[in-house]
Amino acid sequence: MCHHTEKFGVTAKLQEVASLLASGYVFTEAEEILHNLLGIELSAKQVQRISEHYGQKLEESEASYQDMSTDVPLIAAATSASPVYITMDGSMVYTREDAWKEMKMGRIYSGTSRVEIQKNRTEIMDSLYVCTLGNNKDFLKKLEPYVEPYQCKIFIADGAKWIWNWVDDFYSDSVQILDFYHAVEKLGAYALIAYKDVEKRRQWLDFQKQRLKADEIEKVLDDLKKIAAKTLPTTQIGKSLKDIIHYYENNIERMKYGTFIKKGFLIGSGAIESAHRNVIQQRLKLSGQRWSIKGAQRIVNLRAYWKSKRWNDLTYQIKMAA
């Protein structure tokens, strides 16, 4: 009998099952599932102890990627020369120590793993997920080993300066794309104030979208500046215009959407938005959840590895404990 089997009082396989259940259900539900479906008596507390133990083991194993003593796994069907998308964003998780705290996530996937499952609907079949309930530096340190292997890197993100500063510093030769939907969202906020007529607002927004997709960001900016010149900067409209102009000028080279589309690149970060819901929120934001920072990180590690199709790394950890 292995050391951790003695420690937890259950078999290695049941430790794996408990960890998997804990990655998708609250601990009391995992207890009920084991009892009702398998006739196994394992308390919610035991499920928590086992799953958090191995979630921490996965966190510790990340250090071997960061010091380059272990090669990171590549995305399925991708090679080092494959065009690979790197998207990142954050969502809030409630913790006992710091109340709402941002969980940062990176999603890495190959363009070749995106397949059409219905008309006008595609799905990314293989991704690697990296999650950190910590600061920017800790997150980037964890993400960087997963980014390094690929020659053709395509970053898609919103206008967060810390992201683009990191990309400029370390991957200046990469493709950088400002998420199209964030760019349009800025226009939408302005249009909501400026155009009370719904149809006129829609027509104006549709026209601006067409211009952005035609590599006419300079024309969009020129028009916005002309309107701003006739608007008091202290008004709601004036402040909205100032915000858009500043945002666009800081990201103008990342807004060549027509060029990106012609090259077959994605221009939106919908993949990371859905990943937040699928990987983080579906577990960490279940009703009544109040996490410790360490507990949230450990459970999201399990979930990220499962969703990344890396569950064999967890089973390896269990075998290593034997």
Side-chain angles (χ1 to χ4, degrees):
M1 186 174 289
C2 74
H3 172 74
H4 284 295
T5 299
E6 291 176 346
K7 176 178 179 179
F8 295 120
V10 298
T11 65
K13 189 63 180 178
L14 186 50
Q15 291 177 49
E16 180 187 348
V17 172
S19 297
L20 179 57
L21 287 174
S23 75
Y25 300 90
V26 297
F27 303 126
T28 53
E29 287 181 331
E31 176 185 352
E32 292 168 2
I33 290 169
L34 287 168
H35 171 74
N36 293 331
L37 295 185
L38 300 177
I40 294 173
E41 301 300 328
L42 194 66
S43 71
K45 192 63 180 177
Q46 280 180 295
V47 172
Q48 181 178 359
R49 287 177 59 236
I50 292 168
S51 58
E52 289 192 5
H53 172 81
Y54 287 111
Q56 178 59 27
K57 287 295 182 184
L58 293 179
E59 184 69 20
E60 292 168 5
S61 71
E62 291 293 317
S64 66
Y65 300 130
Q66 293 167 23
D67 64 20
M68 295 184 290
S69 60
T70 303
D71 292 334
V72 297
L74 294 177
I75 303 163
T79 67
S80 61
S82 299
V84 164
Y85 292 91
I86 302 103
T87 58
M88 60 197 88
D89 201 357
S91 62
M92 306 307 289
V93 174
Y94 195 79
T95 66
R96 295 198 291 268
E97 299 97 328
D98 290 344
W100 290 102
K101 190 173 177 66
E102 187 178 50
M103 174 75 77
K104 296 177 178 64
M105 171 188 274
R107 182 177 188 178
I108 306 171
Y109 58 95
S110 170
T112 57
S113 67
R114 183 167 164 263
V115 299
E116 188 172 43
I117 56 174
Q118 293 179 5
K119 187 176 181 180
N120 299 322
R121 185 183 171 192
T122 61
E123 185 172 325
I124 299 165
M125 305 308 294
D126 295 291
S127 299
L128 287 173
Y129 301 99
V130 176
C131 305
T132 299
L133 192 59
N135 58 39
N136 299 342
K137 183 178 179 181
D138 290 339
F139 169 67
L140 294 174
K141 183 179 179 182
K142 192 173 184 180
L143 178 68
E144 194 166 81
Y146 293 92
V147 174
E148 281 293 327
Y150 305 101
Q151 296 170 19
C152 182
K153 303 174 181 68
I154 304 170
F155 290 89
I156 306 179
D158 62 17
K161 287 184 178 180
W162 66 270
I163 294 176
W164 295 120
N165 287 343
W166 174 69
V167 174
D168 283 336
D169 287 344
F170 295 97
Y171 306 108
S172 57
D173 59 344
S174 65
V175 178
Q176 300 182 24
I177 303 176
L178 179 74
D179 170 44
F180 181 75
Y181 303 103
H182 276 87
V184 171
E185 188 177 46
K186 293 284 186 182
L187 290 172
Y190 160 74
L192 193 62
I193 305 167
Y195 295 90
K196 301 304 179 185
D197 183 274
V198 175
E199 183 59 24
K200 286 184 178 179
R201 185 192 311 152
R202 184 192 64 77
Q203 290 176 358
W204 184 84
L205 273 174
D206 285 347
F207 179 59
Q208 303 311 321
K209 289 178 189 177
Q210 291 172 13
R211 296 173 88 184
L212 288 177
K213 288 185 177 181
D215 278 347
E216 295 181 354
I217 176 60
E218 289 86 357
K219 291 182 180 179
V220 174
L221 264 173
D222 286 345
D223 283 356
L224 292 173
K225 287 178 180 179
K226 288 175 183 177
I227 299 170
K230 302 174 184 177
T231 307
L232 286 174
T234 55
T235 63
Q236 193 177 12
I237 291 180
K239 291 176 181 178
S240 180
L241 284 166
K242 182 180 178 181
D243 179 52
I244 302 172
I245 292 167
H246 179 72
Y247 188 78
Y248 281 10
E249 286 183 333
N250 283 344
N251 292 284
I252 193 166
E253 294 303 317
R254 303 183 183 108
M255 298 177 68
K256 306 296 185 183
Y257 298 117
T259 299
F260 299 144
I261 291 170
K262 287 177 183 176
K263 291 182 177 181
F265 298 158
L266 300 175
I267 60 172
S269 63
I272 193 68
E273 302 289 342
S274 64
H276 273 292
R277 293 189 296 272
N278 190 30
V279 179
I280 296 176
Q281 296 173 13
Q282 283 185 11
R283 175 61 179 97
L284 269 59
K285 287 192 175 181
L286 290 173
S287 179
Q289 297 296 282
R290 291 180 71 249
W291 296 93
S292 69
I293 291 173
K294 289 183 178 179
Q297 183 64 64
R298 291 165 180 171
I299 296 302
V300 85
N301 286 345
L302 293 173
R303 193 162 178 83
Y305 271 60
W306 174 258
K307 293 294 184 178
S308 299
K309 300 180 181 178
R310 298 177 62 191
W311 197 247
N312 59 309
D313 288 27
L314 185 280
T315 57
Y316 175 76
Q317 291 287 348
I318 295 175
K319 289 177 182 178
M320 287 292 290

